[in-house]
Amino acid sequence: MNQRTKRNMRGSQDIETTMGAHGDAVWRACVMRCSHAEDAQDVFQETFLKYAQHEAPFNDDEHVKAWLLRVAINGCIDRERRASAHESSLDARREAGFDVAVDDESGVVREVLGAMHDLGDPPRTAVYLALYEGYTAPEISKLLNVPTNTVYSWISRGRKTLQEVLA
């Protein structure tokens, strides 16, 4: 690493604090979007490397989180495009190295994760950000750079599909 790159990087304390605050959310987004555990790990690391090298200031902590999630989701999408990966089942995800908890008696977790994975994109990302991360449709709209009404449609369609599958 040359001197110019070192000077432009964020401090280690800033990176550690940010990873502590948002690492779990970024990891969940990577696991939800990537087909393989190795890809999720790589995207997670690349996301925080990009954060370390990002020079522009952020408005607040929510801006940091939104930026990290957008970078992570884009990284996963890019990997999927490059690898032309096909959708994998929950069992394949477990074999690929994901630690997937499953309620052996009812299979509820397996069913929910399978339904989310089969949902496909674009609804999957919008549903995940709304239901799991707590973002509103206007916030998701800004994250994904799409109209707010489109996000509402994706969330509605995704919820309806999940309800039908899980009923």
Side-chain angles (χ1 to χ4, degrees):
M1 186 179 309
N2 64 32
Q3 284 301 100
R4 184 178 185 288
T5 304
K6 273 186 178 180
R7 264 194 319 246
N8 294 337
M9 288 189 71
R10 294 181 181 277
S12 62
Q13 186 61 41
D14 179 9
I15 296 167
E16 287 179 32
T17 301
T18 301
M19 286 184 81
H22 306 299
D24 287 345
V26 172
W27 176 246
R28 287 189 303 266
C30 291
V31 168
M32 186 60 70
R33 288 288 304 143
C34 290
S35 298
H36 302 289
E38 296 83 10
D39 289 339
Q41 291 168 351
D42 289 346
V43 171
F44 179 84
Q45 291 174 1
E46 290 167 2
T47 299
F48 282 99
L49 178 61
K50 287 178 182 177
Y51 173 76
Q53 296 171 338
H54 187 73
E55 294 180 23
F58 292 99
N59 298 333
D60 55 25
D61 198 45
E62 276 303 309
H63 184 202
V64 172
K65 181 180 178 183
W67 185 89
L68 289 167
L69 288 171
R70 182 71 260 156
V71 169
I73 290 167
N74 284 342
C76 292
I77 291 169
D78 289 346
R79 280 190 176 266
E80 285 181 1
R81 283 186 187 144
R82 283 193 304 258
S84 300
H86 63 294
E87 297 289 314
S88 63
S89 68
L90 183 61
D91 292 330
R93 291 171 68 83
R94 184 180 297 116
E95 289 171 15
F98 283 115
D99 183 22
V100 179
V102 176
D103 179 355
D104 289 330
E105 290 184 22
S106 66
V108 173
V109 174
R110 177 189 304 259
E111 193 174 352
V112 171
L113 287 176
M116 274 297 285
H117 189 71
D118 291 342
L119 190 56
D121 235 4
R124 177 178 35 191
T125 300
V127 169
Y128 167 77
L129 290 171
L131 298 180
Y132 199 78
E133 295 298 332
Y135 281 95
T136 64
E139 292 169 330
I140 295 169
S141 168
K142 289 177 186 172
L143 273 172
L144 302 179
N145 197 25
V146 296
T148 303
N149 287 335
T150 301
V151 174
Y152 281 120
S153 296
W154 288 344
I155 292 170
S156 175
R157 190 177 332 132
R159 281 182 169 173
K160 182 178 178 185
T161 301
L162 287 175
Q163 286 173 346
E164 289 171 0
V165 169
L166 299 174

